[in-house]
mmCIF file of all heavy atoms in Angstrom:
data_model
loop_
_atom_site.group_PDB
_atom_site.id
_atom_site.type_symbol
_atom_site.label_atom_id
_atom_site.label_comp_id
_atom_site.label_asym_id
_atom_site.label_seq_id
_atom_site.Cartn_x
_atom_site.Cartn_y
_atom_site.Cartn_z
ATOM 1 N N VAL A 1 119.974 47.856 170.006
ATOM 2 C CA VAL A 1 118.510 47.902 169.950
ATOM 3 C C VAL A 1 117.876 46.980 170.979
ATOM 4 O O VAL A 1 118.320 45.851 171.182
ATOM 5 C CB VAL A 1 118.026 47.511 168.531
ATOM 6 C CG1 VAL A 1 116.514 47.270 168.512
ATOM 7 C CG2 VAL A 1 118.387 48.602 167.534
ATOM 8 N N GLU A 2 116.817 47.481 171.599
ATOM 9 C CA GLU A 2 115.924 46.664 172.425
ATOM 10 C C GLU A 2 114.514 46.784 171.849
ATOM 11 O O GLU A 2 114.022 47.894 171.632
ATOM 12 C CB GLU A 2 115.938 47.150 173.885
ATOM 13 C CG GLU A 2 114.971 46.411 174.800
ATOM 14 C CD GLU A 2 114.914 47.001 176.194
ATOM 15 O OE1 GLU A 2 115.905 47.650 176.604
ATOM 16 O OE2 GLU A 2 113.877 46.826 176.861
ATOM 17 N N ILE A 3 113.864 45.659 171.598
ATOM 18 C CA ILE A 3 112.514 45.665 171.030
ATOM 19 C C ILE A 3 111.499 45.759 172.164
ATOM 20 O O ILE A 3 111.439 44.891 173.035
ATOM 21 C CB ILE A 3 112.255 44.405 170.184
ATOM 22 C CG1 ILE A 3 113.263 44.314 169.036
ATOM 23 C CG2 ILE A 3 110.828 44.408 169.635
ATOM 24 C CD1 ILE A 3 113.194 43.016 168.264
ATOM 25 N N SER A 4 110.685 46.820 172.145
ATOM 26 C CA SER A 4 109.708 47.042 173.215
ATOM 27 C C SER A 4 108.368 46.375 172.925
ATOM 28 O O SER A 4 107.725 45.844 173.832
ATOM 29 C CB SER A 4 109.488 48.544 173.424
ATOM 30 O OG SER A 4 110.654 49.164 173.914
ATOM 31 N N PHE A 5 107.918 46.431 171.679
ATOM 32 C CA PHE A 5 106.655 45.773 171.323
ATOM 33 C C PHE A 5 106.631 45.450 169.838
ATOM 34 O O PHE A 5 107.300 46.094 169.027
ATOM 35 C CB PHE A 5 105.444 46.629 171.695
ATOM 36 C CG PHE A 5 105.353 47.948 170.973
ATOM 37 C CD1 PHE A 5 104.857 48.026 169.665
ATOM 38 C CD2 PHE A 5 105.740 49.122 171.596
ATOM 39 C CE1 PHE A 5 104.766 49.249 169.004
ATOM 40 C CE2 PHE A 5 105.662 50.342 170.935
ATOM 41 C CZ PHE A 5 105.168 50.403 169.631
ATOM 42 N N VAL A 6 105.862 44.419 169.505
ATOM 43 C CA VAL A 6 105.581 44.042 168.117
ATOM 44 C C VAL A 6 104.071 43.931 168.016
ATOM 45 O O VAL A 6 103.459 43.008 168.559
ATOM 46 C CB VAL A 6 106.259 42.708 167.738
ATOM 47 C CG1 VAL A 6 105.973 42.388 166.267
ATOM 48 C CG2 VAL A 6 107.759 42.768 168.002
ATOM 49 N N HIS A 7 103.460 44.885 167.331
ATOM 50 C CA HIS A 7 102.004 44.987 167.321
ATOM 51 C C HIS A 7 101.400 44.179 166.183
ATOM 52 O O HIS A 7 101.859 44.237 165.037
ATOM 53 C CB HIS A 7 101.591 46.460 167.183
ATOM 54 C CG HIS A 7 100.110 46.656 167.168
ATOM 55 N ND1 HIS A 7 99.376 46.734 165.998
ATOM 56 C CD2 HIS A 7 99.221 46.779 168.187
ATOM 57 C CE1 HIS A 7 98.112 46.904 166.301
ATOM 58 N NE2 HIS A 7 97.983 46.932 167.617
ATOM 59 N N SER A 8 100.354 43.415 166.503
ATOM 60 C CA SER A 8 99.563 42.709 165.499
ATOM 61 C C SER A 8 98.207 42.392 166.094
ATOM 62 O O SER A 8 98.113 41.613 167.052
ATOM 63 C CB SER A 8 100.256 41.416 165.062
ATOM 64 O OG SER A 8 99.413 40.651 164.229
ATOM 65 N N ASN A 9 97.159 42.993 165.548
ATOM 66 C CA ASN A 9 95.812 42.741 166.071
ATOM 67 C C ASN A 9 95.418 41.280 165.933
ATOM 68 O O ASN A 9 94.831 40.685 166.843
ATOM 69 C CB ASN A 9 94.789 43.616 165.340
ATOM 70 C CG ASN A 9 94.868 45.071 165.765
ATOM 71 O OD1 ASN A 9 95.079 45.372 166.946
ATOM 72 N ND2 ASN A 9 94.698 45.989 164.820
ATOM 73 N N SER A 10 95.743 40.664 164.805
ATOM 74 C CA SER A 10 95.285 39.294 164.538
ATOM 75 C C SER A 10 96.078 38.247 165.308
ATOM 76 O O SER A 10 95.623 37.108 165.441
ATOM 77 C CB SER A 10 95.369 39.002 163.037
ATOM 78 O OG SER A 10 96.690 39.158 162.566
ATOM 79 N N ASN A 11 97.260 38.610 165.826
ATOM 80 C CA ASN A 11 98.094 37.636 166.530
ATOM 81 C C ASN A 11 98.350 38.011 167.984
ATOM 82 O O ASN A 11 99.212 37.401 168.629
ATOM 83 C CB ASN A 11 99.436 37.500 165.822
ATOM 84 C CG ASN A 11 99.324 36.873 164.454
ATOM 85 O OD1 ASN A 11 99.188 35.652 164.318
ATOM 86 N ND2 ASN A 11 99.361 37.695 163.404
ATOM 87 N N ALA A 12 97.641 38.983 168.495
ATOM 88 C CA ALA A 12 97.898 39.491 169.843
ATOM 89 C C ALA A 12 97.895 38.365 170.874
ATOM 90 O O ALA A 12 97.007 37.512 170.895
ATOM 91 C CB ALA A 12 96.866 40.544 170.201
ATOM 92 N N GLY A 13 98.934 38.361 171.710
ATOM 93 C CA GLY A 13 99.069 37.366 172.767
ATOM 94 C C GLY A 13 99.850 36.139 172.374
ATOM 95 O O GLY A 13 100.301 35.389 173.241
ATOM 96 N N ASN A 14 100.020 35.921 171.086
ATOM 97 C CA ASN A 14 100.740 34.742 170.615
ATOM 98 C C ASN A 14 102.243 35.009 170.554
ATOM 99 O O ASN A 14 102.675 36.133 170.303
ATOM 100 C CB ASN A 14 100.256 34.329 169.229
ATOM 101 C CG ASN A 14 98.788 33.947 169.220
ATOM 102 O OD1 ASN A 14 98.265 33.441 170.211
ATOM 103 N ND2 ASN A 14 98.127 34.184 168.098
ATOM 104 N N PRO A 15 103.054 33.982 170.737
ATOM 105 C CA PRO A 15 104.509 34.168 170.581
ATOM 106 C C PRO A 15 104.852 34.578 169.150
ATOM 107 O O PRO A 15 104.201 34.146 168.190
ATOM 108 C CB PRO A 15 105.072 32.774 170.896
ATOM 109 C CG PRO A 15 104.010 32.071 171.664
ATOM 110 C CD PRO A 15 102.705 32.608 171.151
ATOM 111 N N LEU A 16 105.885 35.399 169.010
ATOM 112 C CA LEU A 16 106.340 35.765 167.664
ATOM 113 C C LEU A 16 106.672 34.531 166.845
ATOM 114 O O LEU A 16 106.467 34.499 165.629
ATOM 115 C CB LEU A 16 107.582 36.653 167.745
ATOM 116 C CG LEU A 16 107.485 38.011 168.437
ATOM 117 C CD1 LEU A 16 108.788 38.778 168.235
ATOM 118 C CD2 LEU A 16 106.303 38.814 167.939
ATOM 119 N N THR A 17 107.174 33.501 167.517
ATOM 120 C CA THR A 17 107.614 32.297 166.812
ATOM 121 C C THR A 17 106.455 31.478 166.254
ATOM 122 O O THR A 17 106.676 30.579 165.448
ATOM 123 C CB THR A 17 108.464 31.423 167.739
ATOM 124 O OG1 THR A 17 107.757 31.192 168.969
ATOM 125 C CG2 THR A 17 109.795 32.100 168.048
ATOM 126 N N ASP A 18 105.212 31.783 166.642
ATOM 127 C CA ASP A 18 104.064 31.123 166.013
ATOM 128 C C ASP A 18 103.949 31.534 164.548
ATOM 129 O O ASP A 18 103.479 30.761 163.708
ATOM 130 C CB ASP A 18 102.770 31.489 166.746
ATOM 131 C CG ASP A 18 102.565 30.666 168.006
ATOM 132 O OD1 ASP A 18 103.479 29.872 168.349
ATOM 133 O OD2 ASP A 18 101.514 30.820 168.653
ATOM 134 N N VAL A 19 104.364 32.761 164.253
ATOM 135 C CA VAL A 19 104.302 33.284 162.886
ATOM 136 C C VAL A 19 105.673 33.228 162.226
ATOM 137 O O VAL A 19 105.831 32.732 161.115
ATOM 138 C CB VAL A 19 103.765 34.728 162.878
ATOM 139 C CG1 VAL A 19 103.836 35.333 161.474
ATOM 140 C CG2 VAL A 19 102.332 34.760 163.387
ATOM 141 N N HIS A 20 106.671 33.743 162.927
ATOM 142 C CA HIS A 20 108.038 33.794 162.391
ATOM 143 C C HIS A 20 108.823 32.608 162.974
ATOM 144 O O HIS A 20 109.608 32.762 163.919
ATOM 145 C CB HIS A 20 108.687 35.125 162.751
ATOM 146 C CG HIS A 20 107.901 36.314 162.305
ATOM 147 N ND1 HIS A 20 107.582 36.557 160.984
ATOM 148 C CD2 HIS A 20 107.331 37.340 163.016
ATOM 149 C CE1 HIS A 20 106.883 37.672 160.884
ATOM 150 N NE2 HIS A 20 106.709 38.159 162.099
ATOM 151 N N GLU A 21 108.594 31.447 162.411
ATOM 152 C CA GLU A 21 109.127 30.220 162.988
ATOM 153 C C GLU A 21 110.652 30.152 162.935
ATOM 154 O O GLU A 21 111.276 29.420 163.710
ATOM 155 C CB GLU A 21 108.505 29.015 162.291
ATOM 156 C CG GLU A 21 106.996 28.922 162.519
ATOM 157 C CD GLU A 21 106.381 27.708 161.850
ATOM 158 O OE1 GLU A 21 107.116 26.925 161.222
ATOM 159 O OE2 GLU A 21 105.147 27.551 161.966
ATOM 160 N N GLY A 22 111.260 30.913 162.041
ATOM 161 C CA GLY A 22 112.710 30.950 161.970
ATOM 162 C C GLY A 22 113.348 31.608 163.187
ATOM 163 O O GLY A 22 114.571 31.550 163.351
ATOM 164 N N LEU A 23 112.530 32.227 164.047
ATOM 165 C CA LEU A 23 113.052 32.888 165.248
ATOM 166 C C LEU A 23 112.989 31.999 166.483
ATOM 167 O O LEU A 23 113.257 32.465 167.597
ATOM 168 C CB LEU A 23 112.274 34.189 165.508
ATOM 169 C CG LEU A 23 112.369 35.259 164.424
ATOM 170 C CD1 LEU A 23 111.542 36.479 164.811
ATOM 171 C CD2 LEU A 23 113.822 35.662 164.186
ATOM 172 N N ILE A 24 112.631 30.728 166.312
ATOM 173 C CA ILE A 24 112.609 29.814 167.451
ATOM 174 C C ILE A 24 113.998 29.761 168.090
ATOM 175 O O ILE A 24 115.012 29.593 167.407
ATOM 176 C CB ILE A 24 112.174 28.404 167.005
ATOM 177 C CG1 ILE A 24 110.684 28.414 166.611
ATOM 178 C CG2 ILE A 24 112.420 27.376 168.113
ATOM 179 C CD1 ILE A 24 110.198 27.107 166.017
ATOM 180 N N GLY A 25 114.040 29.966 169.386
ATOM 181 C CA GLY A 25 115.302 29.991 170.109
ATOM 182 C C GLY A 25 115.958 31.348 170.147
ATOM 183 O O GLY A 25 116.960 31.531 170.836
ATOM 184 N N GLU A 26 115.382 32.325 169.411
ATOM 185 C CA GLU A 26 115.962 33.668 169.351
ATOM 186 C C GLU A 26 115.252 34.653 170.274
ATOM 187 O O GLU A 26 115.840 35.645 170.696
ATOM 188 C CB GLU A 26 115.895 34.212 167.909
ATOM 189 C CG GLU A 26 116.615 33.375 166.869
ATOM 190 C CD GLU A 26 118.113 33.429 167.033
ATOM 191 O OE1 GLU A 26 118.634 34.472 167.453
ATOM 192 O OE2 GLU A 26 118.764 32.404 166.747
ATOM 193 N N THR A 27 113.967 34.400 170.574
ATOM 194 C CA THR A 27 113.201 35.383 171.336
ATOM 195 C C THR A 27 112.026 34.721 172.045
ATOM 196 O O THR A 27 111.501 33.698 171.577
ATOM 197 C CB THR A 27 112.667 36.495 170.413
ATOM 198 O OG1 THR A 27 111.916 37.444 171.184
ATOM 199 C CG2 THR A 27 111.765 35.930 169.318
ATOM 200 N N GLU A 28 111.633 35.319 173.174
ATOM 201 C CA GLU A 28 110.435 34.896 173.904
ATOM 202 C C GLU A 28 109.331 35.955 173.793
ATOM 203 O O GLU A 28 108.313 35.862 174.479
ATOM 204 C CB GLU A 28 110.777 34.662 175.384
ATOM 205 C CG GLU A 28 111.836 33.591 175.622
ATOM 206 C CD GLU A 28 111.380 32.224 175.157
ATOM 207 O OE1 GLU A 28 110.177 31.921 175.288
ATOM 208 O OE2 GLU A 28 112.230 31.469 174.640
ATOM 209 N N LEU A 29 109.527 36.938 172.932
ATOM 210 C CA LEU A 29 108.547 38.013 172.789
ATOM 211 C C LEU A 29 107.216 37.501 172.252
ATOM 212 O O LEU A 29 107.176 36.531 171.487
ATOM 213 C CB LEU A 29 109.082 39.096 171.847
ATOM 214 C CG LEU A 29 110.176 40.025 172.392
ATOM 215 C CD1 LEU A 29 110.756 40.858 171.255
ATOM 216 C CD2 LEU A 29 109.611 40.932 173.481
ATOM 217 N N HIS A 30 106.130 38.215 172.636
ATOM 218 C CA HIS A 30 104.795 37.929 172.139
ATOM 219 C C HIS A 30 104.264 39.141 171.366
ATOM 220 O O HIS A 30 104.670 40.274 171.628
ATOM 221 C CB HIS A 30 103.838 37.614 173.294
ATOM 222 C CG HIS A 30 104.063 36.276 173.924
ATOM 223 N ND1 HIS A 30 105.262 35.918 174.516
ATOM 224 C CD2 HIS A 30 103.235 35.198 174.051
ATOM 225 C CE1 HIS A 30 105.160 34.682 174.994
ATOM 226 N NE2 HIS A 30 103.946 34.218 174.708
ATOM 227 N N PHE A 31 103.362 38.877 170.446
ATOM 228 C CA PHE A 31 102.665 39.968 169.772
ATOM 229 C C PHE A 31 101.768 40.697 170.765
ATOM 230 O O PHE A 31 101.233 40.103 171.704
ATOM 231 C CB PHE A 31 101.795 39.438 168.628
ATOM 232 C CG PHE A 31 102.562 38.920 167.445
ATOM 233 C CD1 PHE A 31 102.671 37.552 167.231
ATOM 234 C CD2 PHE A 31 103.160 39.795 166.547
ATOM 235 C CE1 PHE A 31 103.361 37.067 166.129
ATOM 236 C CE2 PHE A 31 103.857 39.326 165.448
ATOM 237 C CZ PHE A 31 103.964 37.948 165.237
ATOM 238 N N SER A 32 101.595 41.999 170.518
ATOM 239 C CA SER A 32 100.773 42.833 171.395
ATOM 240 C C SER A 32 99.665 43.495 170.594
ATOM 241 O O SER A 32 99.813 43.756 169.398
ATOM 242 C CB SER A 32 101.655 43.907 172.043
ATOM 243 O OG SER A 32 100.857 44.843 172.751
ATOM 244 N N ASP A 33 98.534 43.755 171.259
ATOM 245 C CA ASP A 33 97.464 44.524 170.612
ATOM 246 C C ASP A 33 97.461 45.971 171.097
ATOM 247 O O ASP A 33 96.555 46.746 170.794
ATOM 248 C CB ASP A 33 96.096 43.887 170.851
ATOM 249 C CG ASP A 33 95.733 43.794 172.331
ATOM 250 O OD1 ASP A 33 96.565 44.193 173.184
ATOM 251 O OD2 ASP A 33 94.635 43.313 172.645
ATOM 252 N N SER A 34 98.501 46.347 171.861
ATOM 253 C CA SER A 34 98.617 47.720 172.351
ATOM 254 C C SER A 34 100.034 48.213 172.118
ATOM 255 O O SER A 34 100.943 47.444 171.804
ATOM 256 C CB SER A 34 98.273 47.797 173.843
ATOM 257 O OG SER A 34 99.180 47.016 174.596
ATOM 258 N N TYR A 35 100.220 49.525 172.262
ATOM 259 C CA TYR A 35 101.537 50.115 172.059
ATOM 260 C C TYR A 35 101.608 51.438 172.814
ATOM 261 O O TYR A 35 100.601 52.123 172.990
ATOM 262 C CB TYR A 35 101.819 50.340 170.570
ATOM 263 C CG TYR A 35 100.677 50.949 169.809
ATOM 264 C CD1 TYR A 35 100.453 52.319 169.790
ATOM 265 C CD2 TYR A 35 99.803 50.135 169.100
ATOM 266 C CE1 TYR A 35 99.392 52.871 169.101
ATOM 267 C CE2 TYR A 35 98.732 50.675 168.398
ATOM 268 C CZ TYR A 35 98.538 52.038 168.402
ATOM 269 O OH TYR A 35 97.464 52.580 167.730
ATOM 270 N N ASP A 36 102.805 51.764 173.265
ATOM 271 C CA ASP A 36 103.053 53.042 173.938
ATOM 272 C C ASP A 36 104.130 53.768 173.150
ATOM 273 O O ASP A 36 105.320 53.451 173.269
ATOM 274 C CB ASP A 36 103.493 52.802 175.381
ATOM 275 C CG ASP A 36 103.721 54.104 176.147
ATOM 276 O OD1 ASP A 36 103.535 55.190 175.541
ATOM 277 O OD2 ASP A 36 104.098 54.025 177.330
ATOM 278 N N LEU A 37 103.717 54.735 172.356
ATOM 279 C CA LEU A 37 104.660 55.446 171.492
ATOM 280 C C LEU A 37 105.588 56.355 172.282
ATOM 281 O O LEU A 37 106.653 56.737 171.793
ATOM 282 C CB LEU A 37 103.896 56.270 170.454
ATOM 283 C CG LEU A 37 102.973 55.495 169.511
ATOM 284 C CD1 LEU A 37 102.338 56.440 168.492
ATOM 285 C CD2 LEU A 37 103.727 54.374 168.792
ATOM 286 N N THR A 38 105.216 56.681 173.519
ATOM 287 C CA THR A 38 106.067 57.552 174.344
ATOM 288 C C THR A 38 107.231 56.782 174.970
ATOM 289 O O THR A 38 108.160 57.390 175.489
ATOM 290 C CB THR A 38 105.260 58.217 175.462
ATOM 291 O OG1 THR A 38 104.790 57.209 176.379
ATOM 292 C CG2 THR A 38 104.061 58.974 174.895
ATOM 293 N N ALA A 39 107.182 55.442 174.912
ATOM 294 C CA ALA A 39 108.189 54.616 175.588
ATOM 295 C C ALA A 39 109.281 54.122 174.636
ATOM 296 O O ALA A 39 110.152 53.360 175.062
ATOM 297 C CB ALA A 39 107.508 53.430 176.253
ATOM 298 N N ILE A 40 109.228 54.544 173.371
ATOM 299 C CA ILE A 40 110.219 54.065 172.402
ATOM 300 C C ILE A 40 110.896 55.252 171.713
ATOM 301 O O ILE A 40 110.417 56.393 171.744
ATOM 302 C CB ILE A 40 109.584 53.151 171.335
ATOM 303 C CG1 ILE A 40 108.463 53.876 170.585
ATOM 304 C CG2 ILE A 40 109.069 51.867 171.974
ATOM 305 C CD1 ILE A 40 107.889 53.100 169.420
ATOM 306 N N ASP A 41 112.019 54.953 171.078
ATOM 307 C CA ASP A 41 112.780 55.967 170.348
ATOM 308 C C ASP A 41 112.530 55.909 168.850
ATOM 309 O O ASP A 41 112.686 56.909 168.148
ATOM 310 C CB ASP A 41 114.283 55.771 170.597
ATOM 311 C CG ASP A 41 114.627 55.798 172.073
ATOM 312 O OD1 ASP A 41 114.503 56.883 172.677
ATOM 313 O OD2 ASP A 41 115.010 54.746 172.622
ATOM 314 N N CYS A 42 112.162 54.713 168.360
ATOM 315 C CA CYS A 42 111.997 54.531 166.917
ATOM 316 C C CYS A 42 110.837 53.580 166.658
ATOM 317 O O CYS A 42 110.731 52.528 167.304
ATOM 318 C CB CYS A 42 113.281 53.980 166.309
ATOM 319 S SG CYS A 42 113.238 53.793 164.506
ATOM 320 N N LEU A 43 109.981 53.938 165.709
ATOM 321 C CA LEU A 43 108.838 53.102 165.325
ATOM 322 C C LEU A 43 108.994 52.681 163.877
ATOM 323 O O LEU A 43 109.173 53.511 162.984
ATOM 324 C CB LEU A 43 107.532 53.878 165.491
ATOM 325 C CG LEU A 43 106.264 53.099 165.129
ATOM 326 C CD1 LEU A 43 106.008 51.981 166.138
ATOM 327 C CD2 LEU A 43 105.056 54.036 165.049
ATOM 328 N N PHE A 44 108.922 51.358 163.644
ATOM 329 C CA PHE A 44 108.925 50.817 162.287
ATOM 330 C C PHE A 44 107.487 50.505 161.888
ATOM 331 O O PHE A 44 106.784 49.793 162.607
ATOM 332 C CB PHE A 44 109.763 49.540 162.209
ATOM 333 C CG PHE A 44 111.241 49.762 162.338
ATOM 334 C CD1 PHE A 44 111.853 49.710 163.591
ATOM 335 C CD2 PHE A 44 112.023 50.011 161.225
ATOM 336 C CE1 PHE A 44 113.225 49.900 163.716
ATOM 337 C CE2 PHE A 44 113.397 50.204 161.341
ATOM 338 C CZ PHE A 44 113.995 50.154 162.587
ATOM 339 N N MET A 45 107.082 51.021 160.733
ATOM 340 C CA MET A 45 105.737 50.793 160.216
ATOM 341 C C MET A 45 105.825 49.738 159.110
ATOM 342 O O MET A 45 106.382 49.997 158.041
ATOM 343 C CB MET A 45 105.158 52.090 159.653
ATOM 344 C CG MET A 45 105.217 53.290 160.575
ATOM 345 S SD MET A 45 104.044 53.179 161.933
ATOM 346 C CE MET A 45 102.494 53.381 161.062
ATOM 347 N N CYS A 46 105.277 48.545 159.365
ATOM 348 C CA CYS A 46 105.382 47.423 158.417
ATOM 349 C C CYS A 46 104.025 46.967 157.907
ATOM 350 O O CYS A 46 103.910 45.859 157.359
ATOM 351 C CB CYS A 46 106.101 46.257 159.076
ATOM 352 S SG CYS A 46 107.814 46.579 159.527
ATOM 353 N N SER A 47 102.999 47.779 158.070
ATOM 354 C CA SER A 47 101.673 47.410 157.593
ATOM 355 C C SER A 47 101.564 47.652 156.095
ATOM 356 O O SER A 47 102.467 48.202 155.468
ATOM 357 C CB SER A 47 100.610 48.214 158.336
ATOM 358 O OG SER A 47 100.668 47.955 159.723
#
């Protein structure tokens, strides 16, 4: 698996580790306020 985006309107632009602090050192990904459904193979809906 490769993670393309993690969408969150309220956290857009912030590092994932600002919210999920247990991931410190695991990822440099940031939350996004946009998404491209044509660029991924699988979408997880966690709302």
